[in-house]
Amino acid sequence: MLSLSVLRSTVVLTMYELISPSSSAWVQHAGGLGRLLEARGPHRHQAAEERMLLEAARPLILGKAAAEGKRCFLERSEWVTVPWELEPGGKPHFEKLFDIGCPIPGLVEDRKTLSVQKQRLASATAKNNLQPQPDLNDAYHSVASALAARCEQCMHQIRAWKNEWDMQNKVYELLTIPSVPWAASDYPYAELGLPLAFSDLKRASDYSQYNTLLCFFLTIAYEVHYEASTASTDILSNAINESLILKPGLATPRTDHDYLLKQRYHCAIEICRSVPYHNLPGPDQRVSGAYSIMFPLIAAQPVVAPGGEVFRYIEGVFPRCKSFADLKALQIMSPGVRVIALPYVQHA
């Protein structure tokens, strides 16, 4: 049951179900895949094929765990180090980015706990004629502070990853995109600016997945601030207020709601600007590119204005991207082109 052939079949089946037009069975298969990997242990994924399958499985397992809001074994230190210890060239850059995303299910779990603590605090305060509730206030403060600190750590890690990536890669702007007629005709230049181009599809995938993760972290950061500003407690301590979000190049930290939302919107725009490149002609480029950009588009759509030009652009291109991401994506997907399959956590 723990054999390589079983692992291989389970990964392929889960990926196929993920891109199936009307199937949610991938969630169940991802659960089984996670249990299989955990039972095998990290040391059994140091050989080339086993490690490749682990790298393919991590986004699937993460997606399920995040959807359920439950911490995942993949964030444990042994699972982010041991499988790559024998890799001659070290861990691939994208896998380092994925390491930063592994705590996401735990962040979702903490976010849910924070809401529960807020409800308890509000209920107890109301029942006691608005009298302070020190114990509940401390519990709420503890959860919020821990969540803010974890989010801060992830934000610094992902920006450090991007700084290193920028030293090795360059993002270009395309003046025209004639080779992708449907993407060119619908592309909202006024809202998005010029579309982006990259040296290859791996770099494009890196960039879109980076913006997907950053968009998620910004959402959690915003929600922590929103919860705190509407709770009957002084939760915004200096430690949270001054260090949660740091804009590169600014001497003064920024944590206000508008700033967080603007940064999140910027991530969504950058994802949309990379859509044409992901869909350039060619069996490998178009199929793998479409598969790679699907989940960033899912993350971007709730961020942009409903009914606006960018929103309609996403509505138009997503079905076309999905139509390319069929079983062929499993057969000819470029090595190193990966996706982060995350549910988008939107502020209620």
Side-chain angles (χ1 to χ4, degrees):
M1 292 298 293
L2 303 181
S3 67
L4 174 61
S5 61
V6 171
L7 176 61
R8 185 187 303 115
S9 300
T10 307
V11 169
V12 172
L13 178 60
T14 307
M15 293 180 70
Y16 174 76
E17 294 289 355
L18 179 66
I19 60 177
S20 180
S22 59
S23 175
S24 61
W26 77 271
V27 176
Q28 287 73 34
H29 289 131
L33 179 58
R35 291 188 292 273
L36 175 60
L37 280 174
E38 189 172 15
R40 284 170 55 91
H43 287 88
R44 293 187 65 175
H45 300 91
Q46 292 182 320
E49 183 175 1
E50 285 85 343
R51 187 177 61 253
M52 180 188 69
L53 290 171
L54 170 64
E55 291 172 355
R58 289 210 299 173
L60 304 169
I61 298 168
L62 175 71
K64 178 183 184 297
E68 295 176 344
K70 296 181 180 179
R71 277 181 167 77
C72 181
F73 69 93
L74 289 175
E75 71 172 303
R76 299 174 194 159
S77 60
E78 64 268 25
W79 280 99
V80 298
T81 57
V82 172
W84 294 270
E85 285 179 343
L86 303 181
E87 179 65 19
K91 179 178 285 190
H93 207 53
F94 181 87
E95 296 305 322
K96 295 179 182 178
L97 174 63
F98 193 86
D99 290 346
I100 301 170
C102 284
I104 284 178
L107 293 176
V108 176
E109 182 177 343
D110 289 345
R111 172 67 181 84
K112 292 164 64 176
T113 301
L114 183 64
S115 294
V116 171
Q117 293 286 358
K118 178 184 176 181
Q119 293 170 3
R120 289 175 178 171
L121 177 60
S123 177
T125 302
K127 289 180 180 178
N128 290 275
N129 299 318
L130 303 182
Q131 294 298 311
Q133 304 296 311
D135 291 343
L136 290 176
N137 184 80
D138 290 346
Y140 181 85
H141 190 286
S142 176
V143 174
S145 298
L147 178 55
R150 293 190 75 205
C151 194
E152 173 196 352
Q153 181 183 29
C154 291
M155 296 288 287
H156 282 294
Q157 288 176 342
I158 197 170
R159 283 179 170 143
W161 179 93
K162 182 59 162 51
N163 289 337
E164 183 180 344
W165 189 88
D166 285 338
M167 289 189 292
Q168 304 173 26
N169 302 281
K170 186 174 179 60
V171 179
Y172 306 89
E173 289 186 331
L174 287 172
L175 297 179
T176 59
I177 42 178
S179 55
V180 194
W182 57 267
S185 61
D186 299 332
Y187 187 87
Y189 283 91
E191 288 77 12
L192 298 180
L194 292 173
L196 301 177
F198 307 85
S199 59
D200 55 46
L201 190 55
K202 292 180 184 179
R203 306 292 88 77
S205 179
D206 286 349
Y207 191 76
S208 61
Q209 306 303 331
Y210 158 78
N211 280 289
T212 302
L213 281 181
L214 184 56
C215 189
F216 181 88
F217 292 136
L218 286 164
T219 297
I220 293 292
Y222 170 77
E223 291 184 347
V224 172
H225 275 258
Y226 183 87
E227 287 279 4
S229 66
T230 57
S232 55
T233 178
D234 182 17
I235 187 63
L236 291 181
S237 66
N238 290 335
I240 297 176
N241 236 353
E242 293 180 1
S243 63
L244 186 56
I245 302 296
L246 293 175
K247 184 176 182 180
L250 286 184
T252 304
R254 296 288 304 278
T255 58
D256 57 273
H257 294 173
D258 287 344
Y259 173 73
L260 295 172
L261 293 178
K262 286 177 182 177
Q263 290 295 294
R264 190 176 69 163
Y265 181 77
H266 175 74
C267 291
I269 294 300
E270 293 300 287
I271 289 170
C272 293
R273 294 179 71 195
S274 68
V275 169
Y277 184 86
H278 279 84
N279 287 276
L280 291 176
D284 180 72
Q285 172 91 6
R286 177 164 287 176
V287 173
S288 298
Y291 182 83
S292 179
I293 198 63
M294 277 174 37
F295 301 101
L297 285 173
I298 292 174
Q301 188 170 34
V303 175
V304 301
E309 290 294 325
V310 179
F311 188 91
R312 289 197 292 270
Y313 178 67
I314 295 175
E315 280 191 325
V317 300
F318 183 81
R320 302 189 189 207
C321 290
K322 191 169 177 57
S323 70
F324 289 115
D326 55 11
L327 187 57
K328 294 178 184 177
L330 305 180
Q331 299 170 339
I332 62 174
M333 186 174 297
S334 298
V337 175
R338 303 283 308 291
V339 298
I340 298 175
L342 297 176
Y344 192 75
V345 181
Q346 189 176 14
H347 169 66

